[in-house]
Amino acid sequence: MRNLKLLHAREHGPVQALGSPQCFCLRAEQGTLLIGSEYGILQLDPAVQGVTNDISLTVDGFLPGDGSGHIVGIEDLPDQECVCVATAAGDVILCNLSTKQLECVGSVDSGLTTMSWSPDQELVLLVTGQQTLIMMTKDFEPITEREIHQDDFGEGKFITVGWGKKETQFHGSEGKQAAHRKQTEVPPASPSDDGRPRVTWRGDGQFVAVSAICPHTGARKVRVWSRELVLQSTSEPIPGLEQALAWKPSGSLIASTQEKPNKHDVVFFEKNGLLHGEFTLPFQKGQVKVNELLWNVDSTILAVWLEDLKKEKNSKTNTYVQLWTVGNYHWYLKQSLHFGSAAKSRLVSLLWDPEIPYRLHALCKGWHALCYDWHWSTDCSTGEESRLVANVAVIDGDKVLVTAFQHSVVPPPMCTFQLQLQQAVNQVAFHTDPMKSTDLAVLDASNRISIYRVGDSTVKDPTVTLGGSGFKASVETPHLEKTYRVEVCCGEGKQVNPLALRLFTWMQDDTFLAVSQGRLATHSIIHHLTGSPEAEGGCLHLRLSMPVDGDVISLCYNPKTRAVALQLADGRILKYLWEAPTPALEPWRSSNGSAVQFPSPCVQTALAVIGGEEAILGLTDRCRFFINDVEVASNVTSFARYDEFLLVTTHSHTCQCVSLRDTSLKVLQADFSSSSTPNETLRKVERGSRIVTVVPQDTKLILQMPRGNLETVHHRALVLAQIRKWLDRLMFKEAFECMRKLRINLNLLYDHNPKVFLENVETFIKQIDSVNYINLFFTELKEEDFTKTMYPSPVSSSVQLQQCPGQKKVDLICDAMRAAMENIDPQKYCLSILTSHVKKSTPELEIALQKVHELRETVSPAAEGVTAEAALKYLLFLVDVNELYDHSLGTYDFDLVVMVAEKSQKDPKEYLPFLNTLRKMEINYQHYTIDKYLKRYKKALCHLSKCGPEHFSEFLNLVKDQNLYNEALKLYPPDTPEHKAVGIAFGEHLNQKHLYEQAGLIFARCDAFERALDAFLSSGSWQQALCMASRLGYTADQLAGLARSLAAQRNYLVFLDSQKTTFTRHRQRLLVVRELKEQARQGLLDDETPNCLEADLLSETSSIVTASDMSGKYSHSNSRISARSSKNRRKAERKRHSLKEGSPLEDLALLEALGENIRTTENMKGEVHSLLKGLVLFGYDEPARELQQALEAALQLIERSLLEIWTTDLQQNPANPVLGPNSTANSIMAAYQQQRSAAPAVQDAELLIPPKLNKNIQWKLNLLQ
């Protein structure tokens, strides 16, 4: 789907020299041409437009002075710093261009017809006048010599495996007569054949093919030889085989030409000499002859050099060069260069550049040298939303194949329609106006422009035919509106170049831009071409020409901003102000005001708006991708700009789609650098895929594979963007169908804009208009917001909040859509209404079953709508049949139960007896039995309470079994015996759970005062206990005994004061001990320094002390303790934590004592709470307040001191581990030497963790504050 786009064409000459050119070669390092003529060789430098070296071969007699000499080969040898020239007389000459010294390295008496060097320039093959081959090294040492014509086939001769004679084989469509047909003799070569042998090397230089005329038959044969001139194979007899020969550099095929009875073909040979494919040249038999075939260096383009055959002596012959490419097994004629019949423009030699794949060099007889640079380009239309087009034009000779991807995706060479021109086409340009992007202009080889427009014509154009290769599609086709001649005067001597105009662009109606070469090869001219509407078949007028100081290699136009950007060969970008009264050029500047220049010239450019700023995009032939002068990626193989998106394919076989809205170059650079992270902007594609086009107002991205076939993908970023556009326009049907087809979660329909969706629910239902689709939408609903998880919204999109934030999303949608469907047509959307009930977060199965039951009673079989049977069957599809059976049973409608049971797999022997038993019961007891069966115990309890006193025992058992005391108390009035019985049972239940105070309250309400008194005493509720005692009629002595039991509590105030004093003393002592140990560790207490390796391991949190320190500061009263017996070990364990001042582990002992003090104080909260209530009850408010304040002060002191006692370092490093990734050899040795001292620290690690305070206990009384 790509065409060859001419980037620039340079023309050099004419040069003043003797004779006429015969052949030439390239000097790649110097960038010059070496041209051979009848008198010698000269060096042409395109940079200076002149000859820099001229060496005569007539002085030394290598060429005759009368101009009759001929050079058969010329080759530049960079390694030897000379040029090798072979003459027809048989001399092989080395010429040093710097010294102009000539050296004849060999001579052949019979003369030479061809000299051919291997691609690596290690070997040279000479073909002599006696039809022999001489293989020599690069130093011209002969390797071997062979006769061209050999009777043997070669080493690759085919082997017969004995499957019978030819007469007995199957001959297919030729029939049995083919077995008796005699093989016809091959006719001799065409009279137009020059008779010279042709030599071509394979790309790796391992084999060489030679085409020569057989002296016996007069026909040409192709033989393949190895580097040692060992014959490998001989071609099969081919009638009409011609002189041209070219081996594909990739090594697969050898190209030649064959004249057949009714056509002229380019044929291909395999290395074994057998034919393998062909294509037909667009000429009649006997009209032209093929001089040469040439493959470019990467084997993608085949150049065919042709010229007309002379039918009369004085007739003029035209010369042509055609460039052919193959795609999907079809050969396309992409470029056709008509050099005309003038003598000066007649082509004498053609050559592909050995380093730049798409550069072609040509040499004309009038000493003109031409250089063309092509590159691949996709010619596609750029339509807006109002014109749903995605046309791609492919040049194929005198036809333009147009594929409308909006209507169909067909693989090439098929197409939607094709345009037939009178001449071969070289350039195609779609109209740049987005409203007219289906119109296209075609520039052919005769410099005529044909304008094709869509619409405005009712007459069918015979030059436009639908389909290609048997494919047809019903689409609107264009018609030929007018044809213009293009005549741009380029000055004297500038008429040789057949491709004078390049970068042809259709700007406005009858207004075109084109670029040509200036007076210098490094300058260009921009031409404004205009044509009047009445000038049918007339000429395009040159309105003005703008010279450019530089070689323009690309031109791009942005229809939205109407900006034109030019790229020069050195990478500079110019802005062309083409709409100004006086067009002008100015440097393209970025946002910071600097002139933009690509670091490397780009072969594809485009304009795009990135974050509000217009920038130029460029892609080099080395896959470097630039935005302005910033390289954002280095592995891009193709790119396309569509709407707000930029799509690129990469060498890692991925396609990335990034948004250009609200972004910057730095963000884009980061996106491309992190392209390995899978997300919605990145997807895998087939190896070698390239972008063809993006279909507007659709989600299709067309990719072309290396072979030429097409693949359509739906990039997730494009899909989501298009769906959001449809939803914003309330085009729910298009969005739904796209989401369903491409597996996009349907929750996005609502999550994109909840408010708009709920406001347009009826529009949504009417557009979808399908019960199945609505049900599908219901079944995919989830509470999740998919715009925050699976499909994050773009940054620029505004987030819409739900109308009812407190209501669940699924319930909100189900209710809204059900109301809309019931309003539109409840019979039609019956199944969807059922789905809306079932899909709610709490399924409304009873309501759904009730609707089914109503259908059974109201809808007759003849009525329109869904029957009850169909509705129930659909409901069973959504819900498990057993669950539905249970819910139908919960409706107490036995007809509905039977209807559901009949649709299930249940055995009638199981459910019918059960239903019959239920029918016989009293109605309330029946409902109770059903609810109990369904484990709906609250409903069952309600129904059972209506069954009378005879079922109260069963009622009470159900209450106890299911813990339904609160519900049961509501079912009976407070003064009834049933209420009291349930209350007493509830109180006993609370007692079992140790909720004594609540149990006492329940007992008191039920007049069970003895049980209430016991409960209040257990809970410490003294006021309620005394109340119950008075209700029980206690005497004064009994009340006094109860009061004495209250006074028998501990003196908590004294105990709290003692605890507080002890805590303060231990805390202050701990700070002193830690300070002393820190001083000892740093050697500040005295002059004695720790003399062991582990001194560095000690910290302020460590309890390890070295033996030398202990000997000077602490007594050795326990030094005689032996660890030889378990009794002694237990004794040492008891003495280890001593609070005696100066003991080795005094700090740990203090930590242990402080922790115990805190835990004791914390545990007093419950007891103090009970005591406070008793004191307040008897009127001792002041003692109670004093006790509460004392405990509160103690707890606050503890809370303030926790971080001071258990420091952060102490908690993070409790035991100073010595093993691990941070350990060293010295630290491990020190740990082993101090193993006895380190052991206690490890064992006492739990002491280094602070006790936890429970702040959730409510122990204080507010009335005491």
Side-chain angles (χ1 to χ4, degrees), residues 887-1168:
H887 280 84
S888 64
L889 193 60
T891 62
Y892 315 118
D893 186 342
F894 294 109
D895 293 339
L896 188 61
V897 175
V898 173
M899 186 173 66
V900 173
E902 288 175 350
K903 297 294 182 181
S904 69
Q905 300 295 325
K906 290 181 177 293
D907 189 353
K909 295 180 180 179
E910 295 179 0
Y911 65 83
L912 286 180
F914 175 65
L915 297 179
N916 292 331
T917 305
L918 291 175
R919 283 193 178 98
K920 297 176 182 178
M921 295 180 181
E922 187 267 335
I923 187 66
N924 287 321
Y925 196 78
Q926 178 192 87
H927 291 178
Y928 155 72
T929 306
I930 292 173
D931 290 332
K932 186 179 179 182
Y933 173 78
L934 298 177
K935 297 181 179 181
R936 301 189 301 190
Y937 297 110
K938 292 183 180 180
K939 284 189 175 182
L941 198 67
C942 180
H943 291 299
L944 188 58
S945 66
K946 301 176 183 178
C947 293
E950 64 272 12
H951 294 287
F952 181 71
S953 59
E954 189 175 357
F955 176 88
L956 196 58
N957 290 332
L958 181 62
V959 170
K960 293 178 180 179
D961 291 341
Q962 302 300 326
N963 193 13
L964 298 173
Y965 298 100
N966 289 322
E967 290 77 6
L969 289 173
K970 299 175 184 177
L971 297 176
Y972 291 100
D975 296 334
T976 59
E978 290 86 357
H979 186 278
K980 293 182 179 180
V982 172
I984 292 173
F986 192 16
E988 292 174 350
H989 174 72
L990 293 174
N991 267 336
Q992 292 175 359
K993 289 192 170 185
H994 304 290
L995 300 174
Y996 301 112
E997 189 170 9
Q998 298 181 33
L1001 294 174
I1002 293 294
F1003 284 135
R1005 278 177 45 181
C1006 298
D1007 298 334
F1009 300 122
E1010 288 286 348
R1011 296 183 181 182
L1013 178 60
D1014 294 338
F1016 287 137
L1017 287 174
S1018 300
S1019 66
S1021 302
W1022 308 111
Q1023 184 179 8
Q1024 290 85 345
L1026 292 175
C1027 290
M1028 293 301 102
S1030 64
R1031 294 292 296 273
L1032 290 170
Y1034 273 28
T1035 62
D1037 294 338
Q1038 290 174 324
L1039 289 173
L1042 187 60
R1044 283 193 296 272
S1045 65
L1046 296 176
Q1049 301 297 327
R1050 294 174 55 192
N1051 190 347
Y1052 285 97
L1053 197 58
V1054 176
F1055 181 72
L1056 277 174
D1057 187 58
S1058 173
Q1059 286 288 97
K1060 186 176 178 181
T1061 304
T1062 304
F1063 181 83
T1064 304
R1065 184 177 67 251
H1066 288 343
R1067 178 174 60 87
Q1068 293 175 351
R1069 178 58 189 170
L1070 179 62
L1071 298 178
V1072 173
V1073 172
R1074 285 179 176 172
E1075 184 178 359
L1076 291 174
K1077 287 203 171 186
E1078 178 65 19
Q1079 292 175 358
R1081 190 181 69 85
Q1082 296 179 356
L1084 300 177
L1085 191 60
D1086 50 26
D1087 295 333
E1088 185 178 358
T1089 304
N1091 56 2
C1092 58
L1093 294 173
E1094 67 275 17
D1096 294 334
L1097 301 176
L1098 294 175
S1099 66
E1100 63 178 1
T1101 64
S1102 176
S1103 60
I1104 303 173
V1105 185
T1106 61
S1108 60
D1109 293 333
M1110 291 171 57
S1111 63
K1113 301 178 181 63
Y1114 306 107
S1115 66
H1116 284 233
S1117 60
N1118 61 344
S1119 59
R1120 293 187 300 273
I1121 296 178
S1122 172
R1124 295 179 180 177
S1125 64
S1126 59
K1127 180 180 180 181
N1128 290 338
R1129 283 196 298 271
R1130 287 194 298 273
K1131 186 176 180 181
E1133 183 71 19
R1134 287 194 301 271
K1135 290 186 177 183
R1136 187 162 57 88
H1137 294 168
S1138 175
L1139 289 174
K1140 182 179 179 182
E1141 293 186 6
S1143 62
L1145 302 178
E1146 184 184 0
D1147 54 348
L1148 291 181
L1150 290 169
L1151 284 175
E1152 185 178 14
L1154 287 168
E1156 186 64 30
N1157 186 295
I1158 293 172
R1159 283 187 286 270
T1160 302
T1161 307
E1162 176 73 12
N1163 294 334
M1164 290 176 63
K1165 290 180 179 179
E1167 299 179 13
V1168 169

Side-chain angles (χ1 to χ4, degrees), residues 315-335:
S315 62
K316 295 182 179 180
T317 59
N318 294 312
T319 308
Y320 315 93
V321 173
Q322 296 180 343
L323 303 184
W324 292 80
T325 64
V326 65
N328 215 15
Y329 306 106
H330 176 78
W331 283 90
Y332 297 87
L333 174 56
K334 292 297 184 183
Q335 292 287 308

Side-chain angles (χ1 to χ4, degrees), residues 76-132:
D76 178 45
L77 303 176
D79 294 342
Q80 304 181 31
E81 297 182 354
C82 59
V83 178
C84 182
V85 180
T87 65
D91 294 326
V92 179
I93 308 157
L94 285 181
C95 176
N96 192 315
L97 295 179
S98 57
T99 63
K100 297 187 178 182
Q101 182 179 357
L102 301 177
E103 177 186 0
C104 182
V105 295
S107 182
V108 179
D109 294 338
S110 60
L112 294 174
T113 57
T114 304
M115 178 185 72
S116 178
W117 286 79
S118 63
D120 56 4
Q121 291 190 340
E122 293 292 329
L123 300 175
V124 58
L125 180 64
L126 303 176
V127 183
T128 68
Q130 294 180 345
Q131 300 287 299
T132 59

Side-chain angles (χ1 to χ4, degrees), residues 856-894:
R856 188 175 186 180
E857 294 179 352
T858 58
V859 178
S860 62
E864 295 182 0
V866 181
T867 63
E869 295 292 328
L872 182 60
K873 187 175 180 181
Y874 174 74
L875 205 57
L876 289 170
F877 173 74
L878 297 177
V879 187
D880 180 67
V881 64
N882 295 320
E883 184 180 357
L884 196 62
Y885 174 80
D886 292 343
H887 280 84
S888 64
L889 193 60
T891 62
Y892 315 118
D893 186 342
F894 294 109

